[in-house]
PDB file of all heavy atoms in Angstrom:
ATOM      1  N   LEU A   1     115.771 104.932  94.914  1.00 91.00           N
ATOM      2  CA  LEU A   1     114.787 104.830  93.830  1.00 91.00           C
ATOM      3  C   LEU A   1     115.444 105.072  92.477  1.00 91.00           C
ATOM      4  O   LEU A   1     115.133 104.393  91.493  1.00 91.00           O
ATOM      5  CB  LEU A   1     113.654 105.841  94.057  1.00 91.00           C
ATOM      6  CG  LEU A   1     112.667 105.496  95.181  1.00 91.00           C
ATOM      7  CD1 LEU A   1     111.917 106.744  95.641  1.00 91.00           C
ATOM      8  CD2 LEU A   1     111.683 104.428  94.708  1.00 91.00           C
ATOM      9  N   ALA A   2     116.352 106.041  92.424  1.00 90.00           N
ATOM     10  CA  ALA A   2     117.060 106.318  91.170  1.00 90.00           C
ATOM     11  C   ALA A   2     117.977 105.160  90.793  1.00 90.00           C
ATOM     12  O   ALA A   2     118.112 104.803  89.617  1.00 90.00           O
ATOM     13  CB  ALA A   2     117.862 107.612  91.304  1.00 90.00           C
ATOM     14  N   ARG A   3     118.587 104.539  91.819  1.00 89.00           N
ATOM     15  CA  ARG A   3     119.525 103.439  91.587  1.00 89.00           C
ATOM     16  C   ARG A   3     118.812 102.162  91.156  1.00 89.00           C
ATOM     17  O   ARG A   3     119.219 101.502  90.195  1.00 89.00           O
ATOM     18  CB  ARG A   3     120.326 103.194  92.870  1.00 89.00           C
ATOM     19  CG  ARG A   3     121.455 102.192  92.727  1.00 89.00           C
ATOM     20  CD  ARG A   3     122.438 102.287  93.874  1.00 89.00           C
ATOM     21  NE  ARG A   3     121.798 102.357  95.185  1.00 89.00           N
ATOM     22  CZ  ARG A   3     121.841 103.429  95.975  1.00 89.00           C
ATOM     23  NH1 ARG A   3     122.480 104.529  95.569  1.00 89.00           N
ATOM     24  NH2 ARG A   3     121.264 103.427  97.157  1.00 89.00           N
ATOM     25  N   SER A   4     117.720 101.808  91.844  1.00 88.00           N
ATOM     26  CA  SER A   4     117.029 100.545  91.571  1.00 88.00           C
ATOM     27  C   SER A   4     115.977 100.669  90.480  1.00 88.00           C
ATOM     28  O   SER A   4     115.641  99.688  89.825  1.00 88.00           O
ATOM     29  CB  SER A   4     116.347 100.037  92.853  1.00 88.00           C
ATOM     30  OG  SER A   4     117.294  99.762  93.859  1.00 88.00           O
ATOM     31  N   GLY A   5     115.429 101.901  90.319  1.00 86.00           N
ATOM     32  CA  GLY A   5     114.382 102.075  89.325  1.00 86.00           C
ATOM     33  C   GLY A   5     113.033 101.576  89.825  1.00 86.00           C
ATOM     34  O   GLY A   5     112.932 100.899  90.849  1.00 86.00           O
ATOM     35  N   THR A   6     111.997 101.925  89.088  1.00 82.00           N
ATOM     36  CA  THR A   6     110.637 101.478  89.410  1.00 82.00           C
ATOM     37  C   THR A   6     109.933 101.087  88.119  1.00 82.00           C
ATOM     38  O   THR A   6     110.425 101.353  87.017  1.00 82.00           O
ATOM     39  CB  THR A   6     109.830 102.603  90.091  1.00 82.00           C
ATOM     40  OG1 THR A   6     109.770 103.732  89.215  1.00 82.00           O
ATOM     41  CG2 THR A   6     110.454 103.022  91.408  1.00 82.00           C
ATOM     42  N   GLY A   7     108.787 100.445  88.259  1.00 68.00           N
ATOM     43  CA  GLY A   7     107.973 100.126  87.090  1.00 68.00           C
ATOM     44  C   GLY A   7     108.537  99.033  86.213  1.00 68.00           C
ATOM     45  O   GLY A   7     108.161  98.906  85.050  1.00 68.00           O
ATOM     46  N   ARG A   8     109.459  98.224  86.724  1.00 71.00           N
ATOM     47  CA  ARG A   8     110.022  97.118  85.934  1.00 71.00           C
ATOM     48  C   ARG A   8     110.378  95.974  86.863  1.00 71.00           C
ATOM     49  O   ARG A   8     110.560  96.168  88.078  1.00 71.00           O
ATOM     50  CB  ARG A   8     111.264  97.578  85.185  1.00 71.00           C
ATOM     51  CG  ARG A   8     112.364  98.106  86.081  1.00 71.00           C
ATOM     52  CD  ARG A   8     113.591  98.512  85.287  1.00 71.00           C
ATOM     53  NE  ARG A   8     114.621  99.141  86.101  1.00 71.00           N
ATOM     54  CZ  ARG A   8     115.457  98.491  86.900  1.00 71.00           C
ATOM     55  NH1 ARG A   8     115.397  97.167  86.993  1.00 71.00           N
ATOM     56  NH2 ARG A   8     116.374  99.160  87.604  1.00 71.00           N
ATOM     57  N   PRO A   9     110.467  94.738  86.358  1.00 72.00           N
ATOM     58  CA  PRO A   9     110.866  93.610  87.190  1.00 72.00           C
ATOM     59  C   PRO A   9     112.211  93.861  87.856  1.00 72.00           C
ATOM     60  O   PRO A   9     113.156  94.342  87.224  1.00 72.00           O
ATOM     61  CB  PRO A   9     110.948  92.450  86.186  1.00 72.00           C
ATOM     62  CG  PRO A   9     110.034  92.846  85.078  1.00 72.00           C
ATOM     63  CD  PRO A   9     110.149  94.339  84.981  1.00 72.00           C
ATOM     64  N   GLY A  10     112.287  93.584  89.137  1.00 76.00           N
ATOM     65  CA  GLY A  10     113.515  93.809  89.882  1.00 76.00           C
ATOM     66  C   GLY A  10     113.633  95.195  90.458  1.00 76.00           C
ATOM     67  O   GLY A  10     114.475  95.446  91.321  1.00 76.00           O
ATOM     68  N   GLY A  11     112.816  96.130  89.984  1.00 87.00           N
ATOM     69  CA  GLY A  11     112.820  97.480  90.522  1.00 87.00           C
ATOM     70  C   GLY A  11     111.967  97.556  91.778  1.00 87.00           C
ATOM     71  O   GLY A  11     111.395  96.568  92.246  1.00 87.00           O
ATOM     72  N   ILE A  12     111.885  98.753  92.329  1.00 92.00           N
ATOM     73  CA  ILE A  12     111.122  98.940  93.563  1.00 92.00           C
ATOM     74  C   ILE A  12     109.632  99.028  93.233  1.00 92.00           C
ATOM     75  O   ILE A  12     109.205  99.900  92.472  1.00 92.00           O
ATOM     76  CB  ILE A  12     111.585 100.202  94.308  1.00 92.00           C
ATOM     77  CG1 ILE A  12     113.013  99.987  94.817  1.00 92.00           C
ATOM     78  CG2 ILE A  12     110.645 100.545  95.465  1.00 92.00           C
ATOM     79  CD1 ILE A  12     113.651 101.229  95.408  1.00 92.00           C
ATOM     80  N   GLY A  13     108.869  98.108  93.818  1.00 90.00           N
ATOM     81  CA  GLY A  13     107.428  98.079  93.567  1.00 90.00           C
ATOM     82  C   GLY A  13     106.608  98.487  94.765  1.00 90.00           C
ATOM     83  O   GLY A  13     105.412  98.735  94.639  1.00 90.00           O
ATOM     84  N   LEU A  14     107.252  98.522  95.942  1.00 93.00           N
ATOM     85  CA  LEU A  14     106.531  98.875  97.163  1.00 93.00           C
ATOM     86  C   LEU A  14     107.453  99.683  98.068  1.00 93.00           C
ATOM     87  O   LEU A  14     108.604  99.297  98.297  1.00 93.00           O
ATOM     88  CB  LEU A  14     106.067  97.606  97.897  1.00 93.00           C
ATOM     89  CG  LEU A  14     105.482  97.777  99.302  1.00 93.00           C
ATOM     90  CD1 LEU A  14     104.215  98.629  99.275  1.00 93.00           C
ATOM     91  CD2 LEU A  14     105.183  96.417  99.934  1.00 93.00           C
ATOM     92  N   VAL A  15     106.954 100.805  98.569  1.00 95.00           N
ATOM     93  CA  VAL A  15     107.695 101.636  99.509  1.00 95.00           C
ATOM     94  C   VAL A  15     106.939 101.656 100.827  1.00 95.00           C
ATOM     95  O   VAL A  15     105.766 102.039 100.875  1.00 95.00           O
ATOM     96  CB  VAL A  15     107.864 103.077  98.989  1.00 95.00           C
ATOM     97  CG1 VAL A  15     108.622 103.927 100.007  1.00 95.00           C
ATOM     98  CG2 VAL A  15     108.588 103.079  97.644  1.00 95.00           C
ATOM     99  N   LEU A  16     107.605 101.208 101.901  1.00 96.00           N
ATOM    100  CA  LEU A  16     107.057 101.316 103.255  1.00 96.00           C
ATOM    101  C   LEU A  16     107.620 102.601 103.836  1.00 96.00           C
ATOM    102  O   LEU A  16     108.807 102.670 104.168  1.00 96.00           O
ATOM    103  CB  LEU A  16     107.447 100.099 104.094  1.00 96.00           C
ATOM    104  CG  LEU A  16     106.979  98.736 103.555  1.00 96.00           C
ATOM    105  CD1 LEU A  16     107.491  97.604 104.439  1.00 96.00           C
ATOM    106  CD2 LEU A  16     105.461  98.688 103.441  1.00 96.00           C
ATOM    107  N   LEU A  17     106.796 103.627 103.952  1.00 95.00           N
ATOM    108  CA  LEU A  17     107.267 104.997 104.160  1.00 95.00           C
ATOM    109  C   LEU A  17     106.805 105.574 105.488  1.00 95.00           C
ATOM    110  O   LEU A  17     105.605 105.742 105.724  1.00 95.00           O
ATOM    111  CB  LEU A  17     106.754 105.874 103.006  1.00 95.00           C
ATOM    112  CG  LEU A  17     107.093 107.359 103.028  1.00 95.00           C
ATOM    113  CD1 LEU A  17     108.596 107.580 102.965  1.00 95.00           C
ATOM    114  CD2 LEU A  17     106.396 108.064 101.865  1.00 95.00           C
ATOM    115  N   ASP A  18     107.778 105.921 106.341  1.00 94.00           N
ATOM    116  CA  ASP A  18     107.454 106.590 107.595  1.00 94.00           C
ATOM    117  C   ASP A  18     107.146 108.068 107.307  1.00 94.00           C
ATOM    118  O   ASP A  18     107.668 108.651 106.358  1.00 94.00           O
ATOM    119  CB  ASP A  18     108.651 106.486 108.553  1.00 94.00           C
ATOM    120  CG  ASP A  18     108.324 106.991 109.951  1.00 94.00           C
ATOM    121  OD1 ASP A  18     107.140 106.919 110.341  1.00 94.00           O
ATOM    122  OD2 ASP A  18     109.237 107.473 110.631  1.00 94.00           O
ATOM    123  N   VAL A  19     106.286 108.668 108.146  1.00 92.00           N
ATOM    124  CA  VAL A  19     105.929 110.077 107.954  1.00 92.00           C
ATOM    125  C   VAL A  19     107.016 110.996 108.500  1.00 92.00           C
ATOM    126  O   VAL A  19     107.453 111.934 107.839  1.00 92.00           O
ATOM    127  CB  VAL A  19     104.574 110.394 108.616  1.00 92.00           C
ATOM    128  CG1 VAL A  19     104.315 111.904 108.620  1.00 92.00           C
ATOM    129  CG2 VAL A  19     103.443 109.677 107.882  1.00 92.00           C
ATOM    130  N   ARG A  20     107.474 110.720 109.713  1.00 91.00           N
ATOM    131  CA  ARG A  20     108.447 111.608 110.358  1.00 91.00           C
ATOM    132  C   ARG A  20     109.860 111.164 109.996  1.00 91.00           C
ATOM    133  O   ARG A  20     110.337 110.118 110.439  1.00 91.00           O
ATOM    134  CB  ARG A  20     108.259 111.596 111.869  1.00 91.00           C
ATOM    135  CG  ARG A  20     106.879 112.060 112.297  1.00 91.00           C
ATOM    136  CD  ARG A  20     106.840 112.480 113.735  1.00 91.00           C
ATOM    137  NE  ARG A  20     107.629 113.677 113.964  1.00 91.00           N
ATOM    138  CZ  ARG A  20     107.580 114.386 115.090  1.00 91.00           C
ATOM    139  NH1 ARG A  20     106.809 114.008 116.087  1.00 91.00           N
ATOM    140  NH2 ARG A  20     108.320 115.463 115.233  1.00 91.00           N
ATOM    141  N   LEU A  21     110.518 111.977 109.173  1.00 93.00           N
ATOM    142  CA  LEU A  21     111.860 111.681 108.705  1.00 93.00           C
ATOM    143  C   LEU A  21     112.729 112.928 108.863  1.00 93.00           C
ATOM    144  O   LEU A  21     112.221 114.050 108.860  1.00 93.00           O
ATOM    145  CB  LEU A  21     111.829 111.276 107.220  1.00 93.00           C
ATOM    146  CG  LEU A  21     111.092 109.997 106.857  1.00 93.00           C
ATOM    147  CD1 LEU A  21     110.941 109.897 105.338  1.00 93.00           C
ATOM    148  CD2 LEU A  21     111.834 108.773 107.397  1.00 93.00           C
ATOM    149  N   PRO A  22     114.037 112.762 108.993  1.00 92.00           N
ATOM    150  CA  PRO A  22     114.908 113.936 108.996  1.00 92.00           C
ATOM    151  C   PRO A  22     114.881 114.601 107.622  1.00 92.00           C
ATOM    152  O   PRO A  22     114.839 113.921 106.592  1.00 92.00           O
ATOM    153  CB  PRO A  22     116.293 113.342 109.307  1.00 92.00           C
ATOM    154  CG  PRO A  22     116.200 111.898 108.933  1.00 92.00           C
ATOM    155  CD  PRO A  22     114.783 111.503 109.178  1.00 92.00           C
ATOM    156  N   GLY A  23     114.865 115.932 107.608  1.00 91.00           N
ATOM    157  CA  GLY A  23     114.761 116.629 106.328  1.00 91.00           C
ATOM    158  C   GLY A  23     113.321 116.612 105.844  1.00 91.00           C
ATOM    159  O   GLY A  23     112.383 116.860 106.607  1.00 91.00           O
ATOM    160  N   ASP A  24     113.137 116.296 104.562  1.00 92.00           N
ATOM    161  CA  ASP A  24     111.778 116.215 104.011  1.00 92.00           C
ATOM    162  C   ASP A  24     110.997 115.101 104.702  1.00 92.00           C
ATOM    163  O   ASP A  24     111.535 114.016 104.950  1.00 92.00           O
ATOM    164  CB  ASP A  24     111.835 115.929 102.509  1.00 92.00           C
ATOM    165  CG  ASP A  24     112.355 117.119 101.718  1.00 92.00           C
ATOM    166  OD1 ASP A  24     112.296 118.246 102.246  1.00 92.00           O
ATOM    167  OD2 ASP A  24     112.821 116.907 100.582  1.00 92.00           O
ATOM    168  N   ASP A  25     109.717 115.361 104.975  1.00 92.00           N
ATOM    169  CA  ASP A  25     108.923 114.323 105.629  1.00 92.00           C
ATOM    170  C   ASP A  25     108.385 113.337 104.601  1.00 92.00           C
ATOM    171  O   ASP A  25     108.544 113.497 103.385  1.00 92.00           O
ATOM    172  CB  ASP A  25     107.781 114.933 106.455  1.00 92.00           C
ATOM    173  CG  ASP A  25     106.745 115.654 105.612  1.00 92.00           C
ATOM    174  OD1 ASP A  25     106.728 115.467 104.381  1.00 92.00           O
ATOM    175  OD2 ASP A  25     105.947 116.415 106.189  1.00 92.00           O
ATOM    176  N   GLY A  26     107.741 112.286 105.119  1.00 92.00           N
ATOM    177  CA  GLY A  26     107.252 111.224 104.247  1.00 92.00           C
ATOM    178  C   GLY A  26     106.184 111.682 103.279  1.00 92.00           C
ATOM    179  O   GLY A  26     106.111 111.195 102.139  1.00 92.00           O
ATOM    180  N   PHE A  27     105.340 112.628 103.699  1.00 92.00           N
ATOM    181  CA  PHE A  27     104.292 113.102 102.804  1.00 92.00           C
ATOM    182  C   PHE A  27     104.877 113.830 101.594  1.00 92.00           C
ATOM    183  O   PHE A  27     104.307 113.791 100.498  1.00 92.00           O
ATOM    184  CB  PHE A  27     103.315 114.019 103.557  1.00 92.00           C
ATOM    185  CG  PHE A  27     102.340 113.276 104.425  1.00 92.00           C
ATOM    186  CD1 PHE A  27     101.995 113.752 105.680  1.00 92.00           C
ATOM    187  CD2 PHE A  27     101.761 112.089 103.993  1.00 92.00           C
ATOM    188  CE1 PHE A  27     101.092 113.073 106.479  1.00 92.00           C
ATOM    189  CE2 PHE A  27     100.853 111.400 104.777  1.00 92.00           C
ATOM    190  CZ  PHE A  27     100.516 111.887 106.026  1.00 92.00           C
TER     191      PHE A  27
END
């Protein structure tokens, strides 16, 4: 997210996010 950026053309506009992840969870 830091690399691609958000809120601009070409940036990340949609995140498909799993809940159970290693470390911090999706929530």
Side-chain angles (χ1 to χ4, degrees):
L1 287 160
R3 187 163 46 247
S4 297
T6 59
R8 59 178 175 78
I12 293 172
L14 171 62
V15 179
L16 301 177
L17 178 62
D18 188 28
V19 170
R20 300 199 67 168
L21 296 169
D24 290 339
D25 65 15
F27 283 140

